[in-house]
Amino acid sequence: SWFINMWTIVYMALILHITTVGLFNIAFREGITAGSGAVERAATGDCTVSFSAEQWFDAGVDLFFIVDIFCRLLVFGQIVETKQEKGRQSKMEVVVDPEQVLRNYASKSLLVDLVTATPIQWISMALEAACLSDNAAALLLARCLR
């Protein structure tokens, strides 16, 4: 359907965003170098945090991947290969029964999707808000696993 095709295009664009812009920001973002002292800033009381539009966008990207899991469970059907009978070729069919989709998805890729959809940007923003941004920078690198 049109919706699933557009969803897939957005999904791939966001993966591309994470692997390019995300890595660039991790490598060149101010304050990531050792000794920048987010903890020291917290100790001196000089810790004011404001989040950029890009950080909010990345938080939205994390939300998209969480919604993607629910869409794969409840909205999208799954293409499965039917068992091959003797003398016949196997066929591909779309399964839309929620119970069967859940069973197939849980047995194949649900665990991987749950791990990769961890809202790392949200956690990173929370660490920065608590003046622990030295830890947040290392955490953002984990986004590339997605």
Side-chain angles (χ1 to χ4, degrees):
S1 79
W2 180 86
F3 176 76
I4 294 174
N5 290 337
M6 292 307 297
W7 187 270
T8 304
I9 290 170
V10 170
Y11 184 91
M12 295 306 292
L14 293 177
I15 293 286
L16 184 62
H17 167 77
I18 290 171
T19 57
T20 56
V21 176
L23 280 174
F24 180 83
N25 286 338
I26 291 167
F28 298 108
R29 192 172 128 198
E30 184 180 332
I32 291 183
T33 59
S36 64
V39 175
E40 295 165 354
R41 286 191 308 267
T44 63
D46 183 25
C47 183
T48 56
V49 177
S50 63
F51 299 114
S52 67
E54 185 176 355
Q55 287 174 303
W56 286 111
F57 177 78
D58 286 343
V61 170
D62 286 347
L63 179 63
F64 176 86
F65 287 112
I66 292 169
V67 170
D68 180 65
I69 290 175
F70 290 106
C71 285
R72 290 182 189 276
L73 288 172
L74 304 173
V75 178
F76 304 155
Q78 279 189 334
I79 298 175
V80 295
E81 188 174 355
T82 58
K83 298 194 182 214
Q84 185 175 6
E85 296 178 19
K86 187 176 180 180
R88 294 185 154 193
Q89 288 185 332
S90 59
K91 295 181 181 178
M92 304 299 275
E93 66 180 34
V94 177
V95 176
V96 291
D97 177 39
E99 184 178 318
Q100 206 172 6
V101 169
L102 177 61
R103 197 176 9 209
N104 289 339
Y105 188 48
S107 69
K108 294 181 181 172
S109 61
L110 179 62
L111 181 62
V112 172
D113 284 350
L114 285 174
V115 169
T116 59
T118 302
I120 294 172
Q121 182 64 32
W122 296 355
I123 297 167
S124 171
M125 290 170 73
L127 288 173
E128 285 184 31
C131 298
L132 300 171
S133 62
D134 287 343
N135 298 331
L139 185 62
L140 287 176
L141 192 57
R143 292 187 84 198
C144 298
L145 295 176
R146 185 176 288 148

